[in-house]
Coordinates of all heavy atoms in Angstrom, one line a residue:
M18 N 0.9 -1.2 0.0 CA 0.0 0.0 0.0 C 0.9 1.3 -0.1 O 1.9 1.3 0.6 CB -0.9 0.0 1.2 CG -1.9 -1.1 1.3 SD -2.8 -1.0 2.8 CE -4.0 -2.3 2.5
S19 N 0.5 2.2 -0.6 CA 1.3 3.5 -0.7 C 1.2 4.2 0.6 O 0.3 4.0 1.5 CB 0.8 4.4 -1.8 OG -0.5 4.8 -1.7
L20 N 2.1 5.2 0.8 CA 2.1 6.0 2.1 C 2.4 5.1 3.2 O 2.0 5.4 4.3 CB 1.0 6.9 2.2 CG 0.8 7.9 1.1 CD1 -0.6 8.7 1.5 CD2 1.9 8.9 1.2
A21 N 3.0 3.9 3.1 CA 3.3 3.0 4.1 C 2.1 2.8 5.1 O 2.2 3.0 6.3 CB 4.5 3.6 4.8
T22 N 1.0 2.5 4.5 CA -0.3 2.3 5.4 C 0.0 1.2 6.4 O -0.4 1.4 7.6 CB -1.3 1.8 4.5 OG1 -1.6 2.7 3.4 CG2 -2.7 1.5 5.3
D23 N 0.7 0.1 6.1 CA 0.9 -0.9 7.2 C 1.7 -0.3 8.3 O 1.5 -0.6 9.5 CB 1.7 -2.1 6.6 CG 0.7 -2.9 5.7 OD1 -0.6 -2.8 5.8 OD2 1.3 -3.7 4.8
A24 N 2.7 0.4 8.0 CA 3.6 1.1 9.0 C 2.8 2.1 9.9 O 2.9 2.1 11.1 CB 4.7 1.8 8.4
V25 N 1.8 2.9 9.3 CA 1.0 3.8 10.0 C 0.0 3.0 10.9 O -0.1 3.3 12.2 CB 0.2 4.7 9.0 CG1 -0.9 5.5 9.8 CG2 1.2 5.6 8.3
L26 N -0.6 2.0 10.4 CA -1.5 1.2 11.2 C -0.9 0.6 12.4 O -1.4 0.4 13.5 CB -2.1 0.1 10.4 CG -3.3 0.5 9.5 CD1 -3.7 -0.6 8.6 CD2 -4.4 1.2 10.3
A27 N 0.3 0.1 12.2 CA 1.2 -0.5 13.3 C 1.5 0.5 14.4 O 1.8 0.1 15.5 CB 2.5 -1.0 12.8
Q28 N 1.4 1.8 14.1 CA 1.6 2.8 15.2 C 0.4 3.2 16.0 O 0.4 4.1 16.8 CB 2.2 4.0 14.6 CG 3.6 3.8 14.0 CD 4.0 5.1 13.3 OE1 4.1 6.2 13.8 NE2 4.5 5.0 12.0
T29 N -0.7 2.6 15.6 CA -2.0 2.9 16.2 C -2.6 1.7 17.0 O -2.1 0.5 16.8 CB -3.1 3.4 15.1 OG1 -3.5 2.3 14.4 CG2 -2.5 4.5 14.3
D30 N -3.7 1.8 17.6 CA -4.4 0.8 18.3 C -5.5 0.3 17.4 O -6.4 -0.5 17.9 CB -5.0 1.3 19.7 CG -3.9 1.4 20.7 OD1 -2.8 0.8 20.6 OD2 -4.0 2.3 21.5
A31 N -5.6 0.7 16.2 CA -6.6 0.2 15.3 C -6.5 -1.3 15.0 O -5.3 -1.8 15.0 CB -6.5 0.9 13.9
P32 N -7.6 -2.0 14.8 CA -7.5 -3.4 14.5 C -6.6 -3.8 13.3 O -7.0 -3.3 12.2 CB -8.9 -3.9 14.3 CG -9.8 -2.7 14.7 CD -8.9 -1.6 14.8
A33 N -5.5 -4.4 13.5 CA -4.6 -4.7 12.4 C -5.1 -5.6 11.3 O -4.7 -5.5 10.2 CB -3.3 -5.3 13.0
D34 N -6.1 -6.4 11.6 CA -6.6 -7.4 10.7 C -7.9 -6.9 9.9 O -8.5 -7.7 9.2 CB -6.8 -8.7 11.3 CG -7.7 -8.7 12.4 OD1 -8.1 -7.6 12.9 OD2 -8.1 -9.8 13.0
A35 N -8.3 -5.7 10.3 CA -9.6 -5.2 9.7 C -9.4 -4.7 8.3 O -8.3 -4.3 7.9 CB -10.0 -4.1 10.5
P36 N -10.5 -4.8 7.4 CA -10.4 -4.2 6.1 C -10.2 -2.7 6.3 O -10.6 -2.1 7.3 CB -11.7 -4.5 5.6 CG -12.6 -4.9 6.7 CD -11.8 -5.3 7.7
T37 N -9.6 -2.1 5.2 CA -9.4 -0.6 5.3 C -9.9 0.0 4.0 O -10.1 -0.5 3.1 CB -7.8 -0.2 5.4 OG1 -7.2 -0.8 4.2 CG2 -7.2 -0.8 6.7
E38 N -10.3 1.3 4.3 CA -10.7 2.2 3.2 C -9.9 3.5 3.3 O -9.7 4.1 4.4 CB -12.2 2.6 3.5 CG -12.7 3.5 2.4 CD -13.1 2.8 1.1 OE1 -13.4 1.6 1.1 OE2 -13.2 3.5 0.1
R39 N -9.4 3.9 2.2 CA -8.5 5.1 2.1 C -9.3 6.4 1.7 O -10.2 6.2 0.8 CB -7.4 4.9 1.2 CG -6.5 3.8 1.5 CD -5.5 3.6 0.4 NE -5.0 4.8 -0.3 CZ -3.8 5.4 -0.2 NH1 -2.9 4.8 0.6 NH2 -3.5 6.4 -0.8
L40 N -9.1 7.5 2.3 CA -9.7 8.7 1.8 C -8.6 9.8 1.8 O -8.1 10.2 2.9 CB -10.8 9.1 2.9 CG -11.4 10.5 2.5 CD1 -12.2 10.4 1.2 CD2 -12.5 10.8 3.6
D41 N -8.2 10.3 0.6 CA -7.3 11.3 0.4 C -7.9 12.6 0.3 O -8.5 12.9 -0.7 CB -6.3 10.9 -0.7 CG -5.0 11.8 -0.7 OD1 -5.0 12.8 -0.2 OD2 -4.1 11.3 -1.3
V42 N -7.7 13.5 1.3 CA -8.3 14.8 1.3 C -7.3 15.9 1.3 O -7.5 17.1 1.6 CB -9.4 15.1 2.4 CG1 -10.4 14.1 2.3 CG2 -8.7 14.9 3.8
R43 N -6.0 15.6 1.0 CA -5.0 16.6 1.0 C -5.1 17.8 0.1 O -4.7 18.9 0.4 CB -3.6 15.9 0.7 CG -3.2 14.9 1.7 CD -2.0 14.3 1.3 NE -2.2 13.2 0.4 CZ -1.3 12.4 -0.2 NH1 0.0 12.6 0.1 NH2 -1.7 11.6 -1.1
E44 N -5.9 17.6 -1.0 CA -6.1 18.6 -1.9 C -7.3 19.5 -1.7 O -7.5 20.5 -2.5 CB -6.0 18.1 -3.4 CG -4.8 17.2 -3.8 CD -3.5 18.2 -3.7 OE1 -3.6 19.3 -4.2 OE2 -2.5 17.7 -3.3
L45 N -8.0 19.1 -0.8 CA -9.4 19.8 -0.6 C -9.2 20.9 0.6 O -8.5 20.7 1.5 CB -10.4 18.8 -0.1 CG -10.7 17.6 -1.0 CD1 -11.7 16.7 -0.4 CD2 -11.2 18.2 -2.4
G46 N -9.8 22.0 0.3 CA -9.9 23.0 1.3 C -11.0 22.8 2.3 O -11.9 22.1 2.0
P47 N -10.9 23.4 3.5 CA -11.9 23.3 4.4 C -13.2 23.9 4.0 O -13.2 24.9 3.2 CB -11.4 24.2 5.7 CG -9.9 24.3 5.4 CD -9.7 24.3 4.0
P48 N -14.3 23.3 4.4 CA -14.6 22.2 5.2 C -14.7 20.9 4.5 O -15.2 19.9 5.2 CB -15.9 22.6 5.9 CG -16.7 23.3 4.8 CD -15.5 24.0 4.0
K49 N -14.3 20.7 3.3 CA -14.5 19.5 2.6 C -13.9 18.2 3.2 O -14.5 17.2 3.2 CB -14.0 19.7 1.1 CG -15.0 20.6 0.3 CD -14.7 20.3 -1.2 CE -15.7 21.1 -2.0 NZ -16.9 20.4 -2.4
P50 N -12.7 18.3 3.7 CA -12.2 17.1 4.4 C -13.0 16.6 5.6 O -13.3 15.4 5.7 CB -10.8 17.5 4.9 CG -10.4 18.6 4.0 CD -11.7 19.3 3.7
L51 N -13.6 17.5 6.4 CA -14.4 17.1 7.5 C -15.6 16.5 6.9 O -16.1 15.5 7.3 CB -14.7 18.4 8.3 CG -15.8 18.2 9.4 CD1 -15.2 17.5 10.6 CD2 -16.2 19.6 9.8
A52 N -16.3 17.2 5.9 CA -17.6 16.8 5.4 C -17.4 15.4 4.8 O -18.3 14.5 4.9 CB -18.2 17.8 4.5
E53 N -16.4 15.2 3.9 CA -16.3 14.0 3.2 C -16.0 12.8 4.1 O -16.5 11.8 3.9 CB -15.1 14.0 2.2 CG -15.6 14.9 1.0 CD -14.8 14.7 -0.3 OE1 -14.0 13.7 -0.4 OE2 -14.8 15.6 -1.2
T54 N -15.2 13.1 5.1 CA -15.0 12.0 6.2 C -16.3 11.6 6.9 O -16.6 10.4 7.0 CB -13.9 12.5 7.2 OG1 -12.8 12.8 6.5 CG2 -13.6 11.4 8.2
L55 N -17.0 12.6 7.3 CA -18.2 12.3 8.1 C -19.3 11.8 7.2 O -20.1 11.0 7.8 CB -18.8 13.6 8.8 CG -17.9 14.1 9.8 CD1 -18.4 15.5 10.5 CD2 -17.7 13.0 11.0
E56 N -19.3 12.0 5.9 CA -20.2 11.4 5.0 C -20.0 10.0 4.7 O -20.7 9.1 4.6 CB -20.3 12.1 3.7 CG -21.1 13.6 3.9 CD -20.9 14.4 2.7 OE1 -20.5 14.0 1.6 OE2 -21.3 15.6 2.7
L57 N -18.6 9.7 4.6 CA -18.2 8.3 4.3 C -18.3 7.3 5.4 O -18.7 6.2 5.2 CB -16.6 8.3 3.7 CG -16.1 7.0 3.4 CD1 -16.9 6.4 2.3 CD2 -14.6 7.2 3.0
L58 N -18.0 7.8 6.6 CA -18.0 6.8 7.8 C -19.3 5.9 7.9 O -19.1 4.7 8.2 CB -17.6 7.6 9.1 CG -16.1 8.0 9.3 CD1 -16.0 8.9 10.4 CD2 -15.3 6.6 9.5
P59 N -20.5 6.6 7.9 CA -21.7 5.7 8.1 C -21.9 4.7 7.0 O -22.7 3.8 7.1 CB -22.7 6.8 8.2 CG -22.3 8.1 7.9 CD -20.8 8.0 7.8
T60 N -21.3 4.9 5.8 CA -21.5 3.9 4.7 C -20.6 2.7 4.7 O -20.8 1.8 4.0 CB -21.2 4.7 3.4 OG1 -19.8 4.9 3.1 CG2 -22.1 5.9 3.2
L61 N -19.6 2.7 5.7 CA -18.6 1.6 5.8 C -19.1 0.6 6.8 O -19.8 0.9 7.7 CB -17.2 2.2 6.3 CG -16.6 3.3 5.6 CD1 -15.3 3.8 6.2 CD2 -16.2 2.8 4.2
D62 N -18.7 -0.6 6.5 CA -19.0 -1.7 7.5 C -18.3 -1.3 8.8 O -17.3 -0.7 8.9 CB -18.4 -3.0 7.0 CG -19.2 -3.5 5.7 OD1 -20.3 -3.2 5.5 OD2 -18.5 -4.4 5.0
D63 N -19.0 -1.8 9.9 CA -18.5 -1.5 11.3 C -17.1 -2.0 11.5 O -16.4 -1.3 12.4 CB -19.4 -2.2 12.3 CG -20.8 -1.5 12.4 OD1 -20.9 -0.4 11.9 OD2 -21.7 -2.0 13.0
D64 N -16.6 -3.0 10.8 CA -15.3 -3.5 11.1 C -14.2 -2.7 10.2 O -13.0 -3.1 10.4 CB -15.2 -4.9 11.0 CG -15.4 -5.4 9.7 OD1 -16.1 -4.8 8.8 OD2 -14.9 -6.6 9.3
T65 N -14.6 -1.9 9.3 CA -13.7 -1.3 8.4 C -13.0 -0.1 9.1 O -13.7 0.7 9.8 CB -14.4 -0.8 7.1 OG1 -15.0 -1.9 6.5 CG2 -13.5 -0.1 6.2
V66 N -11.7 0.0 8.8 CA -10.8 1.1 9.3 C -10.7 2.1 8.2 O -10.3 1.8 7.1 CB -9.5 0.6 9.9 CG1 -8.6 1.8 10.3 CG2 -9.7 -0.4 11.0
L67 N -11.0 3.4 8.5 CA -10.8 4.5 7.6 C -9.6 5.1 7.8 O -9.2 5.5 8.9 CB -11.9 5.5 7.7 CG -11.9 6.6 6.7 CD1 -11.9 6.3 5.3 CD2 -12.9 7.7 7.0
I68 N -8.7 5.3 6.7 CA -7.4 5.9 6.8 C -7.6 7.2 6.0 O -7.8 7.2 4.7 CB -6.4 5.0 6.2 CG1 -6.4 3.7 7.0 CG2 -5.0 5.6 6.4 CD1 -5.5 2.6 6.4
Q69 N -7.5 8.3 6.7 CA -7.6 9.7 6.1 C -6.4 10.3 5.9 O -5.5 10.4 6.9 CB -8.6 10.6 6.8 CG -8.8 11.9 6.2 CD -9.0 13.1 7.1 OE1 -8.0 13.4 7.9 NE2 -10.1 13.7 7.1
Y70 N -5.9 10.6 4.6 CA -4.7 11.3 4.4 C -5.0 12.7 4.2 O -5.8 13.2 3.3 CB -4.1 10.8 3.1 CG -3.8 9.3 3.2 CD1 -4.6 8.3 2.9 CD2 -2.5 9.0 3.7 CE1 -4.2 7.0 3.0 CE2 -2.1 7.6 3.9 CZ -3.1 6.6 3.5 OH -2.8 5.3 3.6
N71 N -4.4 13.7 5.0 CA -4.7 15.1 5.0 C -3.4 15.8 5.0 O -2.4 15.3 5.2 CB -5.4 15.4 6.3 CG -6.3 16.6 6.1 OD1 -6.0 17.6 5.5 ND2 -7.4 16.6 6.9
D72 N -3.4 17.2 4.8 CA -2.2 18.0 4.9 C -2.0 18.6 6.2 O -1.0 19.3 6.4 CB -2.2 19.0 3.7 CG -3.3 20.0 3.9 OD1 -4.2 19.7 4.6 OD2 -3.4 21.1 3.1
R73 N -2.9 18.3 7.1 CA -2.7 18.8 8.5 C -3.7 18.0 9.4 O -4.5 17.1 9.0 CB -3.3 20.2 8.6 CG -4.7 20.4 8.4 CD -5.2 21.8 8.3 NE -4.7 22.3 7.1 CZ -5.4 23.0 6.0 NH1 -6.6 23.0 6.2 NH2 -4.8 23.3 4.9
A74 N -3.5 18.0 10.7 CA -4.3 17.3 11.6 C -5.7 17.9 11.6 O -5.9 19.1 11.7 CB -3.6 17.5 13.0
P75 N -6.7 17.0 11.5 CA -8.0 17.5 11.3 C -8.7 17.8 12.8 O -9.5 17.1 13.3 CB -8.7 16.3 10.7 CG -8.0 15.2 11.0 CD -6.6 15.6 11.3
Q76 N -8.3 18.8 13.3 CA -8.7 19.3 14.6 C -10.2 19.3 14.8 O -10.6 19.1 16.0 CB -8.0 20.6 15.1 CG -6.5 20.5 15.2 CD -6.0 19.6 16.2 OE1 -6.6 19.4 17.3 NE2 -4.9 18.9 16.0
H77 N -10.8 19.8 13.9 CA -12.4 20.0 14.0 C -13.1 18.7 13.9 O -14.2 18.5 14.3 CB -12.8 21.0 13.0 CG -12.3 22.4 13.2 ND1 -12.6 23.2 14.2 CD2 -11.4 23.1 12.6 CE1 -12.0 24.3 14.2 NE2 -11.2 24.3 13.2
L78 N -12.4 17.7 13.3 CA -13.0 16.4 13.1 C -13.0 15.5 14.4 O -14.0 14.8 14.7 CB -12.2 15.6 12.0 CG -12.6 14.2 11.7 CD1 -14.0 14.1 11.1 CD2 -11.6 13.5 10.7
Y79 N -12.0 15.7 15.3 CA -11.9 14.9 16.4 C -13.0 14.9 17.4 O -13.6 13.8 17.7 CB -10.6 15.3 17.3 CG -9.3 15.2 16.4 CD1 -8.2 16.0 16.7 CD2 -9.2 14.2 15.5 CE1 -7.0 15.8 16.0 CE2 -7.9 14.0 14.8 CZ -6.8 14.9 15.1 OH -5.7 14.7 14.4
P80 N -13.6 16.0 17.8 CA -14.7 16.0 18.6 C -16.0 15.3 17.9 O -16.8 14.7 18.6 CB -15.0 17.4 19.0 CG -14.2 18.3 18.1 CD -13.1 17.4 17.4
K81 N -16.1 15.5 16.6 CA -17.3 14.9 16.0 C -17.1 13.3 15.9 O -18.1 12.7 16.0 CB -17.3 15.4 14.6 CG -17.6 16.9 14.6 CD -17.9 17.5 13.2 CE -18.2 18.9 13.3 NZ -19.2 19.5 14.1
L82 N -15.9 12.9 15.8 CA -15.6 11.5 15.8 C -16.0 10.9 17.2 O -16.6 9.8 17.3 CB -14.2 11.1 15.5 CG -13.7 11.4 14.0 CD1 -12.3 11.2 14.0 CD2 -14.5 10.5 13.0
E83 N -15.6 11.6 18.3 CA -15.9 11.2 19.6 C -17.3 11.2 19.8 O -17.9 10.2 20.5 CB -15.1 12.1 20.6 CG -13.7 11.9 20.6 CD -12.9 13.1 21.4 OE1 -13.6 13.9 22.0 OE2 -11.6 13.1 21.3
D84 N -18.0 12.2 19.4 CA -19.5 12.2 19.6 C -20.2 11.1 18.8 O -21.3 10.6 19.3 CB -20.0 13.6 18.9 CG -19.7 14.7 19.8 OD1 -19.3 14.6 21.0 OD2 -19.9 15.9 19.2
R85 N -19.6 10.5 17.7 CA -20.3 9.5 17.0 C -19.7 8.1 17.4 O -20.1 7.0 16.8 CB -20.0 9.7 15.5 CG -20.7 10.9 14.9 CD -20.3 11.2 13.6 NE -21.1 12.2 12.9 CZ -21.2 13.5 13.2 NH1 -20.3 14.1 14.2 NH2 -21.9 14.3 12.5
G86 N -18.9 8.1 18.4 CA -18.4 6.7 18.9 C -17.2 6.0 18.2 O -17.0 4.8 18.3
Y87 N -16.5 6.9 17.5 CA -15.2 6.3 16.9 C -14.0 6.6 17.7 O -14.0 7.6 18.4 CB -15.1 7.0 15.5 CG -16.2 6.6 14.5 CD1 -17.2 7.5 14.2 CD2 -16.0 5.6 13.7 CE1 -18.3 7.2 13.3 CE2 -17.0 5.2 12.8 CZ -18.1 6.0 12.6 OH -18.9 5.7 11.7
D88 N -13.1 5.7 17.6 CA -11.7 6.0 18.0 C -10.8 6.4 17.0 O -11.2 6.0 15.7 CB -11.2 4.7 18.5 CG -11.7 4.3 20.0 OD1 -12.1 5.2 20.8 OD2 -11.7 3.1 20.3
Y89 N -9.8 7.1 17.2 CA -8.9 7.6 16.1 C -7.6 7.9 16.6 O -7.4 8.1 17.9 CB -9.5 8.9 15.5 CG -9.7 10.0 16.5 CD1 -8.5 10.9 16.7 CD2 -10.7 10.1 17.3 CE1 -8.7 11.8 17.7 CE2 -10.9 11.1 18.3 CZ -9.8 11.9 18.4 OH -9.9 13.0 19.4
E90 N -6.6 7.9 15.8 CA -5.2 8.4 16.1 C -4.6 8.9 14.8 O -4.9 8.5 13.8 CB -4.3 7.1 16.5 CG -4.7 6.5 17.9 CD -3.8 5.5 18.3 OE1 -2.5 5.6 18.3 OE2 -4.2 4.4 18.7
T91 N -3.8 10.0 15.1 CA -3.2 10.6 13.9 C -1.6 10.4 13.9 O -1.1 10.6 15.1 CB -3.5 12.1 14.0 OG1 -4.9 12.3 13.9 CG2 -2.8 12.9 12.9
V92 N -1.2 10.1 12.9 CA 0.3 9.9 12.7 C 0.8 10.7 11.5 O 0.3 10.8 10.5 CB 0.6 8.4 12.3 CG1 2.1 8.1 12.1 CG2 0.0 7.5 13.3
D93 N 1.9 11.4 11.9 CA 2.5 12.3 10.8 C 3.5 11.5 10.1 O 4.3 10.8 10.7 CB 3.2 13.6 11.4 CG 2.1 14.5 11.9 OD1 1.2 14.9 11.2 OD2 2.3 15.0 13.0
T94 N 3.5 11.5 8.8 CA 4.4 10.9 7.9 C 5.1 12.1 7.1 O 4.6 13.2 7.1 CB 3.9 9.8 6.9 OG1 3.1 10.5 6.0 CG2 3.0 8.9 7.7
D95 N 6.1 11.7 6.3 CA 6.7 12.7 5.3 C 5.8 13.1 4.4 O 5.9 14.2 3.9 CB 8.0 12.1 4.7 CG 9.1 11.8 5.8 OD1 9.1 12.4 6.8 OD2 10.0 11.0 5.4
E96 N 4.8 12.3 3.9 CA 3.9 12.7 2.9 C 2.6 13.2 3.3 O 1.8 13.9 2.4 CB 3.7 11.3 2.1 CG 4.9 10.9 1.3 CD 5.0 9.4 1.3 OE1 4.3 8.7 2.0 OE2 5.9 8.9 0.6
A97 N 2.1 13.0 4.5 CA 0.8 13.3 4.9 C 0.7 13.2 6.4 O 1.4 12.6 7.1 CB -0.3 12.4 4.2
T98 N -0.4 13.8 6.9 CA -0.9 13.7 8.2 C -2.0 12.5 8.0 O -3.0 12.8 7.3 CB -1.5 14.9 8.8 OG1 -0.4 15.9 8.9 CG2 -2.0 14.7 10.2
V99 N -1.8 11.5 8.7 CA -2.7 10.3 8.5 C -3.5 10.1 9.8 O -2.9 9.9 10.8 CB -1.9 9.0 8.2 CG1 -2.8 7.9 7.9 CG2 -1.0 9.2 7.0
T100 N -4.8 10.1 9.7 CA -5.7 9.8 10.7 C -6.4 8.5 10.5 O -7.1 8.3 9.4 CB -6.8 11.0 10.9 OG1 -6.1 12.3 11.1 CG2 -7.6 10.7 12.1
V101 N -6.2 7.5 11.4 CA -6.8 6.3 11.4 C -8.1 6.3 12.2 O -8.0 6.6 13.4 CB -5.8 5.2 11.8 CG1 -6.3 3.9 11.8 CG2 -4.5 5.4 11.1
I102 N -9.2 5.9 11.7 CA -10.5 5.9 12.4 C -11.2 4.6 12.3 O -11.2 4.0 11.3 CB -11.4 7.0 11.7 CG1 -10.7 8.4 11.5 CG2 -12.7 7.1 12.4 CD1 -11.4 9.3 10.6
W103 N -11.6 4.2 13.6 CA -12.2 2.9 13.6 C -13.4 2.9 14.7 O -13.4 3.8 15.6 CB -11.3 1.8 13.9 CG -10.6 1.8 15.2 CD1 -11.0 1.1 16.4 CD2 -9.5 2.6 15.6 NE1 -10.2 1.4 17.3 CE2 -9.3 2.4 17.0 CE3 -8.6 3.5 15.0 CZ2 -8.1 2.9 17.7 CZ3 -7.6 4.0 15.6 CH2 -7.4 3.7 17.0
N104 N -14.3 2.0 14.5 CA -15.4 1.9 15.6 C -14.9 1.3 16.8 O -14.0 0.4 16.9 CB -16.5 0.9 15.1 CG -17.5 1.6 14.2 OD1 -18.0 2.6 14.5 ND2 -17.7 1.1 13.0
R105 N -15.5 1.8 18.0 CA -15.1 1.2 19.3 C -15.6 -0.1 19.5 O -16.5 -0.5 19.0 CB -15.7 2.2 20.4 CG -15.0 3.5 20.4 CD -15.4 4.4 21.6 NE -14.9 5.6 21.5 CZ -15.5 6.7 21.7 NH1 -16.8 6.8 22.1 NH2 -14.8 7.9 21.6

């Protein structure tokens, strides 16, 4: 997987054996990354881990994820800020 997805997942508490879905929002201006992420999450299976690639930490997304019952961790890489999101 590109952007070293396996290495990023290994740095988080996300389920390592779960299916993943990628969402690259690095080229989108606010509030599109937030909106696209929140629109995509309910369409995914409960065991799917969403991996969001952004150009910054999505600070406004975090409280919305908490309100909706998701766990998340953000890892900075050379290519992107990667937020891994999964169901509790």
